[in-house]
Amino acid sequence: MSESNSAERGNRDEEQVPGAKVIAQALKTQGVKYMFGVVGIPVTEIAFAAQELGIRYVGMRNEQAACYAASAVGYLTDRPGVCLVTSGPGLINALTGMANANMNCWPLLVIGGSCERSQETMGAFQELPQVETCRLYSKFSARPSSIQAIPSIIEKAVRSSIYGRPGACYVDMPADIVDLKVNVSSIKYVECCMPPPVSMADGSAVCMAASVLRNAKQPLIIIGKGAAYARAEEAVWKLVEQCKLPFLPTPMGKGVIPDNHPNCVGAARSRALQFADVIVLFGARLNWILHFGLPPRFRPDVKFIQVDICAEELGNNVRPAVTLLGDINAVTKQLLEQFDRTPWQYPPESKWWKTLREKMKSNEAVTKELASKNSLPMNYFTVFYHVQEQLPKDCFVVSEGANTMDIGRTVLQNYLPRHRLDAGTFGTMGVGLGFAIAAAVVAKDRNPGQRVICVEGDSAFGFSGLEVETICRYNLPIVLLVVNNNGIYQGFNADTWKEMLKFGDATFAAPPLSLLPNAHYEQVMTAFGGKGYFVQTPEELQKCLSQSLADTTKPSLINIMIEPQATRKPQEFHWLTRSNI
Ligand SMILES: Cc1ncc(C[n+]2csc(CCOP(=O)(O)OP(=O)(O)O)c2C)c(N)n1
Ligand SMILES: [Mg+2]
C-alpha cells in the first residue's frame, strides 16, 4: 500500500458518526422507506439523518396519527413503516397505534427517543420506562446496549415485525446513544434481513381439507385481511372460480377478489354465515367481527377449515375440522393442486346458491330503495350511492365511524386488494387521516394519479382532524368526506339542540351522543389552502365530488349534512354489530 493510500485510510478511520446517522443508515439497510413522526428531543436528528439518506419523512401533528400511518405503510408495502417519537408523552401517544397495528397484524417499527441513561430514575425530562411500556403492545421491545449494537437491534426489530404473524416492534434510543459520536469504522451494518420464509401446510391436512370441502352441501369461503397481507389474491381468486364457491370478504378482506365478482355474497352476509356447513377461513379470525364462529350466527355443526400463518390462532373459540398452518398464498396453492389433480366444482344450480342469490336480491332491493329516497336531509344510503357512482375503481377507500363505516362498507365497492383501510379489529376511531396519508404517500411513489377517498363520520374525523394540515402541507391526493349527522351514531338538528339547551347547561342537557349541529368541518380544509365544500343535497354532493376528483392539484373536504337521526336498515341480528364499537 502506498503511503498516500494508508494516510487516506487513517483519516477515514478518524471520521466520526453520530448515533442518529447510524440509526438512519441501519433503517435504510433494512429496506425502510417511510418514516412518520413528531420531532423533539432527542429524535430530531434522526429525522434529518433519515431524509439525508432518502427515507421519506412525513411530519405529523400527533404521534397517534403518525403511528397509524406507519402501520398502514406496513400493510400496504409489507415492510414496516417507521414511527419516530420523542420520549415520555410522545411515546405514550403512539401506544394506540402500536396496539392497533398488533391487533390488525400489520408490521410496524416504532423508534422512541428516551432520556440519557445516566439520568434514569432521577426524574429526567420526559422519563418513562419505555421498553417495559411497549412490551404489552408489541412483538419485540428492546434497547441497543451501545451505538455499535444499533444495526443488529434494528435488523431484529424489522425482521420480527414481518416474520410469522406481522406486528408492532419497538426500539428505544436513549439520548446519549443518539448524540454519541464514534469512529465510522467501529460500526458494522447488518445485511438486510431475508424476506419472510414461506411455510406450507402439512400435506395430509391439505388432502383432508379438500375432502371436507368436496363433501360440503353449503360451502363458504371467508377472505380476511390476512389473505390480503399474504398477497394471496391470485390463488384465492383461482380457487373460488375453479370450484365455483361463494365467498364473503371481511371488512379489509374486501378487494382481494373484486366486490362485484358474481360469487361475492357480501349482500347476504348474515344468511351465508348462518347456514354454511363448511367454511374455509383464509386469514380471517373467529373474533367479534365474525361473531366468534358461534351460534346463533353460525350453525352449531359448522366445519371450519382454518388457514392461518399463526399456530396460536388455530382453534380459537371453535374447534376447527381442519387446520392448515402456513403462508396463505402457499397453502391456497396447495389446495389448488388438489383440485387440479382431481377437479371438483360446487354445483352452481344448488339450492344453497339459490338461497344466497335470493337473499342478495332482496337485500339489494332494500338498499336501493333507501338510496333512492330524495327527502332532505339525505340518509346514509343516498350519500353512499352517489359516492359509489363516482368512485375511481383503483382508489383507496379509507373509512371510520359507526354508521358511516358500517353502511359505507356495504355500498362502497373495492376492486383491488389492500385498498380498504378502516377501524379494523380494534375498532379504533381516529385512524382514518393517518391511514389516508400513508396510502397517499405510497400512491405518490407507486402509482401517481391514484386517489385516496377518506370517508369519515363527524365524530371519527374529530379524533385526528388537524392532520388536514399535514395533508395540505404535503399536498396529498386525498378527498375527505365527512358524513355529518351532528353526533356519535346519531345527533340532533339545530332546532332540537336549541330547545334542549333550554333545560339547563349543555353538560347536563346535551345527550352524550351529540356534537355541535351544522359544524363547518370544511373550513378546517380551507384554513390550510385546500378546497372545502358544505353540501346538503344529492345534486350538490354530485357536483362537489366530481370537482374534487377532477382537481388533482389540491386536497379537498366535503362536509355532507345528513339527517341527524338516520340509521341503518333493520338488522336480523342487533347484538354485536359493528356499530357497537
Ligand atoms: C378510540 C375510540 N374512542 C371511542 C370509540 C367509540 N366510538 C365508536 S364509533 C364512534 C364515533 C361514531 O360517530 P361518527 O364517527 O360520527 O359516525 P356515525 O355513526 O355518526 O356515522 C365512537 C366515538 C372508539 N371506537 N374508539
Ligand atoms: Mg356522526
Side-chain angles (χ1 to χ4, degrees):
M1 192 183 287
S2 75
E3 231 178 78
S4 66
N5 270 354
S6 68
E8 233 177 74
R9 169 100 178 275
N11 285 341
R12 208 164 52 222
D13 285 350
E14 306 265 298
E15 200 184 312
Q16 300 270 294
V17 61
K21 284 200 173 171
V22 177
I23 295 164
Q25 183 60 56
L27 290 171
K28 189 180 159 95
T29 309
Q30 296 307 321
V32 166
K33 291 197 166 61
Y34 304 95
M35 183 183 272
F36 301 82
V38 180
V39 294
I41 298 170
V43 298
T44 310
E45 295 310 317
I46 302 174
F48 275 113
Q51 273 186 327
E52 260 173 47
L53 290 175
I55 294 174
R56 289 195 189 281
Y57 177 77
V58 180
M60 308 274 292
R61 303 305 300 260
N62 187 306
E63 292 85 356
Q64 220 175 47
C67 205
Y68 297 146
S71 70
V73 157
Y75 178 56
L76 298 176
T77 69
D78 70 18
R79 278 270 138 184
V82 166
C83 174
L84 182 71
V85 298
T86 186
S87 43
L91 191 263
I92 288 179
N93 279 349
L95 290 181
T96 331
M98 291 180 75
N100 191 67
N102 245 11
M103 289 286 172
N104 277 347
C105 313
W106 290 356
L108 163 72
L109 174 53
V110 176
I111 302 230
S114 55
C115 69
E116 278 187 29
R117 286 172 294 178
S118 63
Q119 295 177 357
E120 270 177 345
T121 76
M122 294 175 68
F125 174 64
Q126 299 186 330
E127 184 187 344
L128 181 81
Q130 301 188 171
V131 174
E132 290 93 314
T133 301
C134 289
R135 201 153 276 147
L136 207 52
Y137 310 103
S138 61
K139 292 176 77 178
F140 173 76
S141 180
R143 164 195 281 186
S145 55
S146 65
I147 188 168
Q148 282 78 15
I150 289 172
S152 59
I153 283 274
I154 286 189
E155 187 271 347
K156 180 158 177 155
V158 168
R159 183 161 40 85
S160 303
S161 77
I162 54 177
Y163 275 37
R165 168 181 273 178
C169 291
Y170 175 69
V171 178
D172 196 62
M173 295 292 181
D176 49 305
I177 285 193
V178 176
D179 296 337
L180 186 72
K181 285 189 170 157
V182 293
N183 282 348
V184 175
S185 60
S186 72
I187 306 290
K188 303 272 176 289
Y189 290 98
V190 179
E191 231 182 296
C192 184
C193 63
M194 310 250 281
V198 177
S199 49
M200 306 242 268
D202 172 62
S204 60
V206 177
C207 284
M208 204 204 288
S211 146
V212 171
L213 197 51
R214 279 177 214 275
N215 288 309
K217 303 232 162 7
Q218 308 196 149
L220 178 68
I221 301 279
I222 298 184
I223 303 172
K225 64 178 171 298
Y229 183 80
R231 275 77 182 151
E233 48 266 19
E234 216 176 289
V236 175
W237 194 336
K238 198 164 168 219
L239 184 79
V240 160
E241 291 205 336
Q242 196 167 315
C243 300
K244 304 211 180 313
L245 292 163
F247 78 89
L248 185 73
T250 65
M252 282 196 262
K254 269 161 72 77
V256 167
I257 304 178
D259 283 337
N260 63 349
H261 189 284
N263 293 29
C264 178
V265 294
R269 181 180 188 272
S270 294
R271 191 57 54 98
L273 296 181
Q274 204 183 352
F275 295 108
D277 67 342
V278 172
I279 297 180
V280 189
L281 298 164
F282 285 113
R285 290 169 283 177
L286 292 177
N287 56 23
W288 68 279
I289 291 186
L290 285 175
H291 320 288
F292 313 105
L294 294 172
R297 304 300 299 261
F298 289 81
R299 284 165 57 135
D301 62 347
V302 57
K303 291 189 172 117
F304 283 107
I305 298 170
Q306 230 178 334
V307 186
D308 208 287
I309 186 87
C310 174
E312 287 88 340
E313 190 56 47
L314 304 171
N316 273 345
N317 303 322
V318 177
R319 188 182 174 90
V322 190
T323 57
L324 300 177
L325 175 65
D327 173 83
I328 295 164
N329 189 30
V331 174
T332 312
K333 284 183 184 159
Q334 286 181 286
L335 275 170
L336 274 169
E337 274 168 28
Q338 292 290 320
F339 292 114
D340 281 342
R341 216 170 292 146
T342 320
W344 169 77
Q345 282 187 351
Y346 180 67
E349 299 312 319
S350 63
K351 206 169 147 225
W352 179 228
W353 260 123
K354 202 165 161 248
T355 310
L356 293 171
R357 292 224 169 88
E358 276 170 14
K359 188 64 189 165
M360 285 200 287
K361 229 179 179 177
S362 66
N363 280 347
E364 278 159 3
V366 177
T367 307
K368 241 188 196 148
E369 196 197 320
L370 285 163
S372 65
K373 285 213 163 111
N374 46 18
S375 54
L376 291 178
M378 291 181 279
N379 68 39
Y380 285 103
F381 290 90
T382 311
V383 168
F384 293 129
Y385 172 79
H386 288 290
V387 174
Q388 172 58 28
E389 291 269 280
Q390 294 196 35
L391 219 55
K393 276 205 157 173
D394 70 342
C395 73
F396 284 98
V397 177
V398 178
S399 187
E400 58 174 338
N403 293 319
T404 297
M405 181 173 72
D406 288 349
I407 301 170
R409 187 179 59 246
T410 65
V411 182
L412 303 176
Q413 305 269 295
N414 283 92
Y415 305 98
L416 294 169
R418 299 170 294 283
H419 277 61
R420 178 180 171 86
L421 300 164
D422 69 20
T425 314
F426 211 24
T428 313
M429 292 300 122
V431 293
L433 275 77
F435 285 179
I437 289 167
V441 171
V442 171
K444 258 187 156 181
D445 268 352
R446 296 189 165 187
N447 193 7
Q450 190 180 16
R451 308 304 292 272
V452 180
I453 313 296
C454 183
V455 187
E456 299 275 304
D458 51 334
S459 164
F461 175 69
F463 283 78
S464 306
L466 218 60
E467 297 299 340
V468 168
E469 187 275 327
T470 311
I471 292 173
C472 289
R473 187 163 15 106
Y474 295 103
N475 200 21
L476 296 173
I478 297 172
V479 177
L480 273 164
L481 307 179
V482 177
V483 182
N484 191 349
N485 62 351
N486 304 335
I488 299 172
Y489 314 120
Q490 289 187 339
F492 299 91
N493 63 31
D495 290 342
T496 315
W497 174 255
K498 230 189 214 163
E499 285 303 308
M500 281 187 317
L501 293 190
K502 286 185 186 157
F503 291 94
D505 187 80
T507 48
F508 292 120
L513 299 178
S514 51
L515 296 170
L516 191 71
N518 302 334
H520 280 270
Y521 295 111
E522 75 285 0
Q523 292 179 7
V524 181
M525 182 59 91
T526 52
F528 302 112
K531 288 262 175 71
Y533 304 94
F534 181 78
V535 307
Q536 290 174 293
T537 66
E539 296 72 32
E540 287 169 356
L541 173 58
Q542 281 170 320
K543 194 170 139 224
C544 296
L545 187 55
S546 72
Q547 273 176 14
S548 302
L549 289 169
D551 183 356
T552 50
T553 64
K554 270 190 177 146
S556 47
L557 189 156
I558 308 176
N559 183 11
I560 307 163
M561 298 311 298
I562 65 162
E563 164 55 47
Q565 295 286 305
T567 53
R568 314 171 67 187
K569 61 186 163 69
Q571 301 289 303
E572 270 174 74
F573 291 95
H574 281 279
W575 61 283
L576 256 185
T577 61
R578 301 261 303 166
S579 336
N580 290 354
I581 55 177

